[in-house]
Amino acid sequence: MSIRFDSGKHVFLLETPSSTYVIRLYEGHVLHGGWFHRLPDWSGACVTPSCERPSFSPVPEEFEGKTYFSPDVMQQEFPVTGRGDFRVPAIEAVDASGVNGAEFRYVSHTIGKGKKPLPGLPATYADENEAETLELELADPCGPLRLTLSYTVWEGFDAICRHVRVKNTSESESVSLRSVMSASIDFPHYRFKMLQLSGAHVRERRMITRDLCPGMQAVESRRCMSSHQQNPFMALLETNATESTGEVFGFSLVYSGNFIARSEVDQFGTCRAQIGINPYNFSWKLEAGQEFCTPEAVLVRSEQGLGGMSRTYHELYRRHLCRGAWRDKVRPIVINNWEATYFDFNAKKLFALADTAASCGMELFVLDDGWFGHRNDDRSSLGDWFIFKDKLPEGLKQISDGIHERGMKFGLWFEPEMISPDSELFRAHPDWCLHAGERKPALGRHQLVLDMSRKDVVDYIEQAVSSIITESGLDYIKWDFNRCPSDVASASLPADRQMEVSHRFYLGLYDLLERLVAKFPQVLFESCSGGGGRFDPGMLHYMPQTWTSDNTDALSRISIQLGTGVVYPASAMSCHVSASPNHQIGRMTSLSMRGHVAMAGTFGYELDLNRLSAEEIAGIKSQVELYKQIRDVVQFGDLYRLETPLSSNRLEAASYGAWQYVSRDRKRSVVTVAWSYAEANAEYLLLKPQGLEADARYAIRCSPENNPPVPAGTCVSGGELMYCGLRIVNQAAYGGSLLFILEKV
Ligand code: GLA
């Protein structure tokens, strides 16, 4: 890792272990030089396009005796509007004269060790030896704005983290920021497929790819949350890249609100890729002297295909984005009462569930929705974070103590950013919800959204959640968010700041979370939003795991989890075994398959254990035991997607997913294959594990143990496993899935 400035060539070279990112200075203009395989040196002579283009690409100025250029044809580092570049700009700002336009020139730079935090925003972090940061200062010679473009390179990661700070240096006049991206890169070609993670509630993060073509292709959220529908991420895969080969660029935004990730292919076949806050319903009044900071964009370059990109994100996010006592600890096995009881519980039922869970070896009991206010269904009480006395007359302490006595940790569900119209909180503070003037705000799941841009609201939630944590000795919190904010307006802000509310909402939330995680470092926080509606890097900074989806069906989970794992590590991906038939889609699957699929992340159960047969309970006990043996490999190992929806163009109708985790010391590995359905007289499936030591020998164990495709006690070299593979037939006898444990002997 290093950042070098070649003052002779006016070039910055940002070096990661296997790549070089180039920034050029040209007569004060800051131009992008490219992001390549690691270079010894860079002259730019071969890739810089000839500057002349005819009159439809205007030229801001002609340099004396030198070739002039139009911004329209140059690779820009942070493109502006109004000076002849007609591609999408990275910043739009309207100054006091009402003009939308600015132009920035290099002023100075600093190169320093480590990485500074971003004010009020979640971000990756590093100490002095782990990263280096370049800050480029740019100023508009004819306007009040100054930009700081920040770039961090990492020891050991092919990643560059970028953000931008915009300062209004005027002494008296404000500027209205209309859009400011966190990162922009101009690629000299568009031979890319764009990968996005798209879906819906209970159908999150499908891997979708498309070939780029001229024009704009974008994914975005306008839901005031990162959303189930699109994830704040995109990747550009060189057209011949695969899961394990070729060049891939990832763009991920450390943010939980409205975002946009876009690729614009222009008239000359170049591609501008950007990620940042969505300009939709956004503007920011920057008063004289004030600074605006964008969220952080985390850019990853891989030469080992999509898999290489994912592994970089996983390790970077695990070690440099997640924080706290739980960051490096294996996560407890959960029993959650939601799909076991829904709202219909009392202390007796909860303890009966806890007794069975404890006897099966589970470690954390989570009491879900319905313990507060007078909440017997989803129509009331959000905001009233005090015990529902009629349901739990002995209080929460009794439940918490009872769970602790059974040797388990105790956790609670909250939905702190919401307010029910039927709540004491709403009756006391009707203006605390997001709403636009006299217009009645729209309900979602019978609830309204609190106005997190208000400090009084944030203070209230901090106090309410803190006192429950302290009084009940909580070890864990599931932090839910069950509707998209609509009516995104605030009673506490003036007219010219209403379009700041969607961003201020997240500044308020991040402030609240920062206070809570600082106060309660031992508490394990799990983010949730109707499952995976806010599965984003912003939330991961405060909460090291997220409830992946409200859909707990094992087959649906194959694609949801494979898609989630494109960016997010298994330690962040919460997965539970639930009942069969499944409550969301009615499908029946074997207990064994539900277990194998849920073992791809942080593991748990969410069903009424006391309605199961003795045989099923025995099955669960052995699953819990198995997961305890493999969880460190799963949660902290390297992921290899062996078969994904991207590669499932197969002869037979039955499709399957296969994935593998390898411990970082390569001594242990877990390989799982799960079929969507059984096939008659099926094709052979050749599973080729990856990431093993070719010369080492690995003993193979298989789950289920009866009738294994590889006899128990088999021991072969890593090379044989990787190059010859494991040959399997899809057999109903396997119950729909197989899990292999490989251990170096
Ligand atoms: C959301 C969550 C579920 C459950 C319910 C409770 O839908 O995703 O897991 O907690 O809320 O109302």
Side-chain angles (χ1 to χ4, degrees):
M1 149 204 84
S2 82
I3 297 175
R4 287 187 284 138
F5 178 55
D6 182 331
S7 54
K9 292 183 187 143
H10 307 286
V11 162
F12 293 93
L13 299 174
L14 282 59
E15 289 172 341
T16 76
S18 66
S19 78
T20 306
Y21 182 106
V22 181
I23 301 169
R24 296 169 66 194
L25 300 180
Y26 185 75
E27 300 294 337
H29 295 266
V30 183
L31 302 177
H32 182 62
W35 195 4
F36 317 102
H37 180 81
R38 179 90 176 243
L39 302 171
D41 165 20
W42 187 83
S43 77
C46 308
V47 291
T48 308
S50 142
C51 293
E52 287 117 67
R53 284 283 181 182
S55 53
F56 290 98
S57 293
V59 177
E61 61 198 276
E62 296 183 15
F63 300 119
E64 248 176 80
K66 289 192 183 159
T67 320
Y68 60 84
F69 73 87
S70 166
D72 210 21
V73 301
M74 301 301 277
Q75 286 174 268
Q76 305 284 343
E77 199 51 43
F78 206 70
V80 297
T81 187
R83 300 293 289 159
D85 182 348
F86 298 102
R87 294 165 292 178
V88 65
I91 180 166
E92 287 188 84
V94 177
D95 63 19
S97 69
V99 172
N100 177 13
E103 186 177 38
F104 297 100
R105 298 288 172 82
Y106 170 83
V107 175
S108 64
H109 72 268
T110 57
I111 296 173
K113 287 189 177 303
K115 182 176 192 292
K116 290 196 200 105
L118 272 63
L121 287 164
T124 55
Y125 58 89
D127 69 26
E128 299 230 315
N129 304 315
E130 291 169 327
E132 241 176 70
T133 300
L134 164 69
E135 297 221 319
L136 283 177
E137 295 293 327
L138 279 53
D140 185 345
C142 300
L145 292 186
R146 276 178 90 99
L147 293 185
T148 307
L149 308 184
S150 172
Y151 302 80
T152 297
V153 295
W154 297 83
E155 186 64 41
F157 294 98
D158 283 313
I160 296 181
C161 292
R162 290 178 59 174
H163 73 272
V164 178
R165 300 194 297 279
V166 187
K167 185 162 187 178
N168 179 2
T169 61
S170 161
E171 282 179 4
S172 54
E173 283 164 340
S174 65
V175 170
S176 173
L177 269 182
R178 294 297 167 86
S179 120
V180 51
M181 292 293 111
S182 299
S184 181
I185 294 191
D186 283 353
F187 293 94
H189 66 88
Y190 72 109
R191 290 188 309 274
F192 289 120
K193 287 174 284 188
M194 175 172 153
L195 169 73
Q196 62 198 62
L197 302 174
S198 305
H201 177 225
V202 297
R203 191 162 41 78
E204 295 90 345
R205 291 175 294 285
R206 293 275 161 88
M207 296 162 72
I208 310 278
T209 52
R210 47 175 143 166
D211 290 331
L212 289 188
C213 66
M216 182 66 81
Q217 21 260 296
V219 288
E220 61 184 319
S221 169
R222 292 185 294 269
R223 293 172 176 266
C224 197
M225 55 194 281
S226 50
S227 89
H228 300 87
Q229 288 73 12
Q230 307 289 356
N231 200 256
F233 164 80
M234 73 173 174
L236 296 179
L237 289 72
E238 262 207 329
T239 37
N240 56 0
T242 67
E243 179 60 33
S244 52
T245 63
E247 199 178 20
V248 173
F249 297 91
F251 298 76
S252 166
L253 192 68
V254 186
Y255 191 54
S256 313
N258 290 336
F259 73 91
I260 190 159
R262 59 192 173 195
S263 312
E264 186 185 29
V265 177
D266 81 341
Q267 56 184 334
F268 302 122
T270 73
C271 170
R272 174 165 291 169
Q274 295 181 334
I275 194 163
I277 292 180
N278 198 336
Y280 162 81
N281 195 25
F282 171 85
S283 84
W284 196 270
K285 187 175 174 192
L286 206 54
E287 301 281 11
Q290 282 182 348
E291 193 169 68
F292 180 86
C293 181
T294 70
E296 177 169 80
V298 179
L299 314 183
V300 166
R301 181 180 178 278
S302 157
E303 292 176 6
Q304 281 84 44
L306 193 65
M309 181 209 74
S310 297
R311 288 186 289 279
T312 302
Y313 276 120
H314 294 170
E315 193 57 5
L316 189 65
Y317 283 176
R318 241 178 335 226
R319 283 176 36 206
H320 295 282
L321 179 66
C322 295
R323 295 179 293 174
W326 284 97
R327 187 189 73 169
D328 303 323
K329 278 197 207 151
V330 290
R331 307 293 161 69
I333 299 175
V334 166
I335 173 72
N336 179 305
N337 78 310
W338 180 241
E339 290 194 26
T341 67
Y342 295 101
F343 291 104
D344 182 18
F345 59 81
N346 53 32
K348 195 169 159 222
K349 260 197 196 176
L350 296 178
F351 287 138
L353 183 63
D355 282 334
T356 314
S359 75
C360 290
M362 297 175 203
E363 300 159 319
L364 164 61
F365 186 97
V366 178
L367 173 52
D368 211 281
D369 195 354
W371 57 267
F372 51 92
H374 59 278
R375 189 153 162 107
N376 271 323
D377 56 33
D378 57 12
R379 290 177 173 269
S380 81
S381 306
L382 294 171
D384 294 348
W385 301 112
F386 43 80
I387 191 75
F388 187 174
K389 273 272 157 55
D390 290 350
K391 216 186 239 185
L392 300 172
E394 307 290 323
L396 262 183
K397 187 76 172 73
Q398 180 224 13
I399 306 290
S400 169
D401 289 348
I403 299 296
H404 286 140
E405 278 158 23
R406 286 163 174 80
M408 286 189 285
K409 295 184 184 304
F410 179 58
L412 268 190
W413 180 96
F414 283 89
E415 199 179 355
E417 299 148 84
M418 297 290 165
I419 181 166
S420 303
D422 176 10
S423 67
E424 289 184 19
L425 188 68
F426 187 76
R427 286 184 280 275
H429 300 284
D431 60 338
W432 272 16
C433 63
L434 290 175
H435 66 287
E438 293 306 305
R439 201 190 299 280
K440 211 171 161 207
L443 292 167
R445 206 195 189 199
H446 318 289
Q447 63 203 49
L448 300 170
V449 186
L450 279 171
D451 179 354
M452 301 296 290
S453 73
R454 296 177 66 131
K455 187 169 173 303
D456 47 3
V457 169
V458 168
D459 291 345
Y460 166 78
I461 304 175
E462 184 198 355
Q463 179 274 322
V465 174
S466 299
S467 47
I468 300 271
I469 297 179
T470 313
E471 285 159 24
S472 320
L474 294 190
D475 306 297
Y476 162 104
I477 284 180
K478 177 174 172 187
W479 185 289
D480 214 335
F481 188 75
N482 274 319
R483 61 159 292 184
C484 307
S486 53
D487 305 270
V488 181
S490 170
S492 70
L493 288 170
D496 60 356
R497 290 198 179 273
Q498 290 298 329
M499 281 171 73
E500 298 177 6
V501 176
S502 56
H503 183 56
R504 286 186 183 276
F505 184 94
Y506 281 95
L507 294 179
L509 173 64
Y510 294 147
D511 172 30
L512 170 64
L513 296 180
E514 192 65 49
R515 298 188 208 175
L516 288 173
V517 299
K519 248 206 255 180
F520 302 105
Q522 79 290 354
V523 172
L524 172 59
F525 284 86
E526 175 162 329
S527 168
C528 175
S529 171
R534 265 195 327 205
F535 207 132
D536 61 63
M539 296 307 286
L540 268 190
H541 189 54
Y542 309 96
M543 310 193 181
Q545 57 191 61
T546 298
W547 178 227
T548 308
S549 176
D550 273 350
N551 186 344
T552 53
D553 169 61
L555 293 195
S556 308
R557 276 295 188 115
I558 296 174
S559 61
I560 294 172
Q561 293 173 190
L562 282 169
T564 304
V566 167
V567 184
Y568 306 101
S571 56
M573 199 166 68
S574 195
C575 310
H576 295 172
V577 172
S578 63
S580 177
N582 173 267
H583 289 191
Q584 290 80 42
I585 64 172
R587 183 154 39 205
M588 296 183 71
T589 48
S590 71
L591 178 62
S592 156
M593 178 176 193
R594 280 174 276 150
H596 288 161
V597 173
M599 284 184 206
T602 62
F603 187 61
Y605 291 82
E606 180 149 352
L607 74 172
D608 190 350
L609 300 170
N610 293 328
R611 292 166 71 129
L612 302 181
S613 67
E615 194 191 335
E616 285 170 309
I617 289 293
I620 287 180
K621 279 186 183 155
S622 47
Q623 285 181 344
V624 167
E625 220 169 275
L626 174 66
Y627 186 71
K628 285 180 181 169
Q629 292 166 28
I630 62 171
R631 66 175 148 186
D632 58 328
V633 181
V634 170
Q635 293 175 13
F636 301 108
D638 283 333
L639 169 72
Y640 293 86
R641 282 179 294 270
L642 304 181
E643 190 74 24
T644 67
L646 272 184
S647 55
S648 62
N649 196 7
R650 307 192 64 79
L651 176 66
E652 61 184 2
S655 64
Y656 59 93
W659 55 92
Q660 179 193 10
Y661 294 99
V662 183
S663 65
R664 300 206 44 100
D665 62 8
R666 304 208 282 165
K667 288 190 174 147
R668 291 185 302 145
S669 178
V670 178
V671 179
T672 310
V673 55
W675 286 271
S676 293
Y677 44 88
E679 179 70 285
N681 199 17
E683 275 185 26
Y684 285 114
L685 186 166
L686 192 63
L687 264 192
K688 286 187 162 178
Q690 298 177 36
L692 304 173
E693 272 180 56
D695 295 335
R697 296 186 71 74
Y698 292 85
I700 306 175
R701 274 194 287 152
C702 185
S703 162
E705 283 167 6
N706 55 326
N707 192 23
V710 179
T714 304
C715 192
V716 297
S717 71
E720 189 172 340
L721 280 163
M722 292 193 290
Y723 311 133
C724 308
L726 290 159
R727 194 159 89 153
I728 307 162
V729 181
N730 175 5
Q731 279 182 22
Y734 301 147
S737 62
L738 279 166
L739 184 144
F740 299 91
I741 301 173
L742 313 176
E743 275 162 327
K744 189 172 161 184
V745 290

